[in-house]
């Protein structure tokens, strides 16, 4: 009886150590199709998909923001920020780094502007 319990515990530990987390490209904020701050992240067990999301504002039509990373939900959402309507389309995939992300170099002023935008943006995307 005790041997079975020990073997069961070893099997469970082995299962969890062999299970690898999904790795996704992460982008906090992207503007006009270019990621401003990119990296690779390991997803949690509950996050089974990589995603790339693109938000388009109804008022401007030409400005779009994007983000990418790990997620457990893949859906389209709509809402408003300061009275401006937007639509967020989220595209998902389930293999390592399948949500390609590219980065660009920014000037200091551009980086500060992007950081401010990212802080506002991330509150609405999550």
């Amino acid at each position: 009886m005790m041997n079975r319990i020990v073997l069961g515990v070893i099997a469970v530990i082995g299962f969890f150590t062999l299970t690898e987390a999904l790795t996704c490209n992460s982008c906090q904020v992207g503007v006009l199709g270019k990621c401003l701050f990119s990296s690779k992240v390991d997803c949690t067990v509950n996050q089974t998909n990589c995603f790339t999301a693109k938000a388009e504002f109804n008022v401007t039509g030409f400005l779009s923001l994007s983000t990418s990373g790990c997620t457990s939900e893949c859906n389209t959402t709509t809402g408003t920020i300061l009275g401006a309507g937007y639509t967020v389309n989220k595209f998902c995939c389930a293999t390592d780094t399948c949500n390609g992300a590219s980065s660009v170099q920014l000037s200091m002023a551009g980086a500060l502007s992007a950081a401010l935008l990212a802080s506002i943006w991330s509150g609405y995307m999550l």
Side-chain angles (χ1 to χ4, degrees), residues 1 32 71-72 91 98 124:
M1 175 74 168
L32 302 174
T71 190
S72 58
F91 305 96
C98 58
Y124 290 100

Side-chain angles (χ1 to χ4, degrees), residues 43-60:
C43 303
T44 65
V45 173
N46 296 333
Q47 297 171 318
T48 56
N49 293 298
C50 296
F51 80 93
T52 299
K54 182 177 180 183
E56 294 179 332
F57 292 88
N58 303 339
V59 175
T60 61

Side-chain angles (χ1 to χ4, degrees), residues 2 7 11 18 42 57 61 65 67 69-70 80 84 89 93 95 105 118 122-123 125:
M2 186 61 142
L7 289 175
L18 290 176
D42 292 325
F57 292 88
L65 300 174
T67 186
C70 302
T80 59
N89 292 304
C93 54
T95 58
Q105 298 297 321
S122 64
M125 288 300 289

Side-chain angles (χ1 to χ4, degrees), residues 5 13 17-18 20 28 31 33 42 52-53 61 73 85 87 103 105 115:
I5 294 173
I13 291 171
T17 57
L18 290 176
E20 293 183 26
Q28 293 298 317
V31 178
D42 292 325
T52 299
E73 297 182 22
T87 301
S103 63
Q105 298 297 321

